Each structure stands twice: as structure tokens, then as C-alpha cells.
Amino acid sequence: MTLDSTPSRQSRSDAPEVVVARLPQYVRILARLLQDGTDVVSSQQLGARLQVTPAQIRKDLSYFGRFGKQGRGYSVPHLLDRLKQILGLNSTWNVAVVGVGRLGRAILSYPGFTPDGFRLVAAFDVSPDVVGQEVAGLTVQPIEQLDDEVRDRQISIAIVAVPTEHTQEVVDRLVECGIRAVLNYAPITPQVKEGIRVRNIDPVLSLQSMTYYLSEDL
Amino acid sequence: MTLDSTPSRQSRSDAPEVVVARLPQYVRILARLLQDGTDVVSSQQLGARLQVTPAQIRKDLSYFGRFGKQGRGYSVPHLLDRLKQILGLNSTWNVAVVGVGRLGRAILSYPGFTPDGFRLVAAFDVSPDVVGQEVAGLTVQPIEQLDDEVRDRQISIAIVAVPTEHTQEVVDRLVECGIRAVLNYAPITPQVKEGIRVRNIDPVLSLQSMTYYLSEDL
DNA sequence: GGATGTGAAGTATTTCACAGCC
DNA sequence: GGCTGTGAAATACTTCACATCC
């Protein structure tokens, strides 16, 4: 069970959430640098790539340890490995997709999750028309199978792409089954108990916050 | 090194970007309240719906004006209308989709943009196999048509769903054509000149920032 | 009574600037 | 010389608390 109030070990959880949210971007750039054969990188160079100040990168990293060499910079393979370790990206995460409509199908067919450490291992839907179909190599299962599958296949992350009106109940159900992180595509923010992580993918909100600046000079 | 040339970009109110980013959420809730027939709402009630403190809502709104009535709260239809006006959502925005692969198709078929003030009016692709196809009621056009269409149909927003390696060039091209806001689905952050708005939809980054917290108690 | 609008106070986050090391 | 790591300073953002008004 998750306990807090015991600062027994490392300075693990005192990194601001905003810092944690930036680490995956560092990982991504470092992976590219590694592929390009770059050995060493400075916070200056990293910052230029990411449109971030060098100071911010150094400060961010300092929450987790001391990874650089003064006068030289950071070893690309070493820093990459350490950051992946910190983020828990050195092992593969099994993911369930719930809702196999148009959007769910697109997600299941999207090749971008796998190379980054996520494996879509199960797909669920309520509709009898969809259950049993094969999509992207997976047989769509009835939602009743959720409990068993989550347990048997060690799934701790779910991608939810069901109609808005069913999203909250689906998320509730997932949490009951032991899911601890949800990536939600419906235009609401599902309510969850403490300790469960939710991220929303909401392109309409993104568009609507840009129109503010577009209307500026009309 | 002296100061960077800072163009005084105070075109309109000096509302922080983080505040602007919240307004669309307020709009969404208000639209629902309106549909439910709710006439008046307090910052308290709004906050409860959004998981935000009432003080934050009042402060956010105060950047743009005084919309409430003391002792009563906010008129739902009035506040909704004013916020839509501020965000530029009282008229419809024409949007181009560039890249009609699997993802582009899913976006074109997604019904969620239209009700919120965005109309997908043109689709482009480079592949001769795709050009000429009809997708979601639109005929896919060759990318060479971009200039003309952007001009003729008053398109100021583009949704870009092309392979990562072509994203930067496509965005550059769009900006040259007069596009001023880009919603990008590739896992990079396109570089654009000052004044152009970019938002990225990047589910992998979202997942990767959650695994940090999942690995916490291993 | 009840709620807004807002300076002031309190936090959080970013940037500075420099000692320390390679 | 160049670059990290980090306290301290600066800035950004959120919350408080209360005067003010319906």
C-alpha cells in the first residue's frame, strides 16, 4: 500500500510535478543524441534543443542527483539511462485500451507507444458488435473481463477512449480493478481518489486557448 | 551580453498564459450549466466542478473584467458569452488538417471539434495515393494547394498529423502561408517565429510522466 | 447573509551568479 | 577555459482575507 509521512529513503518525491513532467522530454532528446552518436552534451546544448534555459535543466536534474562532470557536461548514455530509471522506463509497461470506437482503433494502431516502453496488451469494449473483433493484433474483450486481465497481465495503466458520458464510470471501474494511471481522451476530468494519476488528452482545449491570441489583433 | 530585444507584446490584457489556458474549461462547464438550465453560479460551485479553488476562479476572471454580482454570483449565460468573446469563440474558426494518414483520418472523423467552434474545411497530403480521396466529406488536396486555400478560405489554424521527420518543414510552410496557430501531433516541438502559437498533443509524454509516480513504491 | 473583486501574503518555480572542479 | 551544482534572488502563480456591494 502507498504510505507517505515516512521520508525514510531518498529525496524521491520532493521533486515538483512540473519538473517530473519535463524529464520525458529530456529522455527523448537524449535518445536522439545517442542515436546520432553524441557522447557528451552540456546543459547549454540540451537547452537549445528544448527551448529551455540551461539553468533550468541543471536545476531539474539536481532534484535527482549529480549526473554531470564539471567542465565537460553530461554523458549522453549515462544520463539517459539514469533518467529512464528515475521515470521507470527501463521496463515495459502493459497498457489496456478501453473503448474501441474510431478513436480507440486509432490509438491501438498508433505505432508510437511501443518504442517508448508501453505495450498495448488488451482492448475492451461494451458493444457486442465490437467484442471479438481483432484490432491491431488484439481480440477485443467484453468489459467484464477487465478484472481478470488486469490482474493476470499486470496492467497498471489504461487508455480510456469511451464516450464522455461513460468515462467516469469506466474510470471508477478501472481504479477498482487496480489501475493506477489513466490517460483519458474524453473532454472531462475524471475524478479519482488520491494516488491515482490522470492525464487528459484534449485537443479542443488546446485549440481554444490559442484562439485567444489569434483574436488579439482583429 | 546585453538585453535581448524584447518587443513589447502587450497587445491586450496582461493575463498570464496559465490563466488563459483555464478559460476554455470554464467555458465548457458554463455551457453545460446553461444546458441544464442553471441561471446563476458562484465561484464556489464552479470551483467544485473544476477542482479549483473559488479564489482562483475569481482572480482569473478579474484579469478580464468584473462579471459577477456580489451576494449572488455569476449569470451563467452572461459569463459564458463574455468568456467566449474573450477567447474568440463566438465565431467559427476554419481549420486545415495536414497529413491524412491513419491519425489524420481519425482527426477528420472526430466529431468533437465542430460543436466547439472549429470547422475542418480542408485536408492536405503529399501522397498521390491519398490526394483526391474523400475523407469525412472533404476531398484531400495536394499540399501545393495550401497557399490558395489558406487565403481563399480564411484558414488561420492548422492541425498537423504528418510523420515526425516532415513536421518541421510542414509547419514552416504553413507559417509562410499565413497560418498563426498549429496543433501538432508529432513527438517534437516545432520551432516557430514569435507570434505563432503551437500546442502539442503528445500522449507518450503524458504516459511517461505518470510512470514516475507508479514506480515510486516498487 | 452571501458573494464578488482585489491588494497583500504566501508558495512555487525559474533564473542568477558564482564557488568548485575537470 | 568550460561547465556543473546550488544557494540566493527574482519572478510567477495561488490563496487569503476583507472591504464592498446586492
Side-chain angles (χ1 to χ4, degrees), chain B residues 3-216:
Chain B
L3 291 177
D4 209 349
S5 59
T6 9
S8 61
R9 183 162 25 87
Q10 212 178 29
S11 329
R12 207 158 51 162
S13 72
D14 48 5
E17 209 164 314
V18 63
V19 171
V20 173
R22 277 192 294 264
L23 296 188
Q25 310 212 60
Y26 299 170
V27 165
R28 190 176 268 168
I29 297 290
L30 287 164
R32 280 186 203 150
L33 289 171
L34 186 68
Q35 257 192 331
D36 298 350
T38 308
D39 252 26
V40 174
V41 71
S42 65
S43 57
Q44 180 74 233
Q45 297 168 309
L46 228 35
R49 288 260 201 157
L50 286 156
Q51 302 290 106
V52 160
T53 66
Q56 177 155 85
I57 290 175
R58 296 201 302 276
K59 185 62 132 183
D60 282 358
L61 296 177
S62 79
Y63 285 104
F64 305 97
R66 302 151 61 120
F67 308 116
K69 287 210 173 20
Q70 280 150 323
R72 235 171 112 50
Y74 302 90
S75 152
V76 171
H78 176 246
L79 182 57
L80 176 58
D81 184 66
R82 292 293 286 107
L83 289 183
K84 287 181 81 169
Q85 196 177 310
I86 289 163
L87 285 169
L89 298 175
N90 273 330
S91 53
T92 302
W93 294 89
N94 288 336
V95 177
V97 174
V98 184
V100 188
R102 238 193 308 246
L103 182 56
R105 275 164 217 275
I107 292 166
L108 284 162
S109 307
Y110 175 63
F113 292 112
T114 314
D116 284 301
F118 301 93
R119 190 159 35 195
L120 309 187
V121 298
F124 300 90
D125 205 295
V126 278
S127 163
D129 297 345
V130 174
V131 169
Q133 279 186 12
E134 186 158 320
V135 178
L138 294 175
T139 303
V140 180
Q141 302 184 66
I143 201 133
E144 287 76 22
Q145 290 291 111
L146 209 55
D147 277 271
D148 291 349
E149 282 288 296
V150 165
R151 199 167 306 121
D152 296 353
R153 318 202 56 175
Q154 312 220 75
I155 299 170
S156 38
I157 303 175
I159 298 179
V160 178
V162 303
T164 310
E165 58 271 28
H166 297 124
T167 299
Q168 183 64 56
E169 58 180 283
V170 163
V171 169
D172 288 347
R173 175 116 194 225
L174 285 164
V175 170
E176 277 174 37
C177 294
I179 289 288
R180 291 165 54 223
V182 171
L183 188 67
N184 164 50
Y185 279 79
I188 61 164
T189 299
Q191 301 310 304
V192 292
K193 65 182 182 193
E194 164 101 35
I196 307 295
R197 296 278 148 182
V198 176
R199 296 282 186 281
N200 300 299
I201 301 293
D202 200 328
V204 170
L205 287 187
S206 300
L207 287 177
Q208 291 183 331
S209 70
M210 288 195 286
T211 54
Y212 172 80
Y213 301 99
L214 300 191
S215 340
E216 217 157 28

Side-chain angles (χ1 to χ4, degrees), chain A residues 39-55:
Chain A
D39 251 26
V40 173
V41 71
S42 66
S43 59
Q44 180 74 233
Q45 297 169 308
L46 271 180
R49 291 259 200 155
L50 286 158
Q51 303 290 107
V52 160
T53 66

Side-chain angles (χ1 to χ4, degrees), chain A residues 51-65:
Chain A
Q51 303 290 107
V52 160
T53 66
Q56 177 155 87
I57 290 175
R58 295 201 301 277
K59 185 62 132 183
D60 282 359
L61 296 178
S62 79
Y63 284 104
F64 305 98

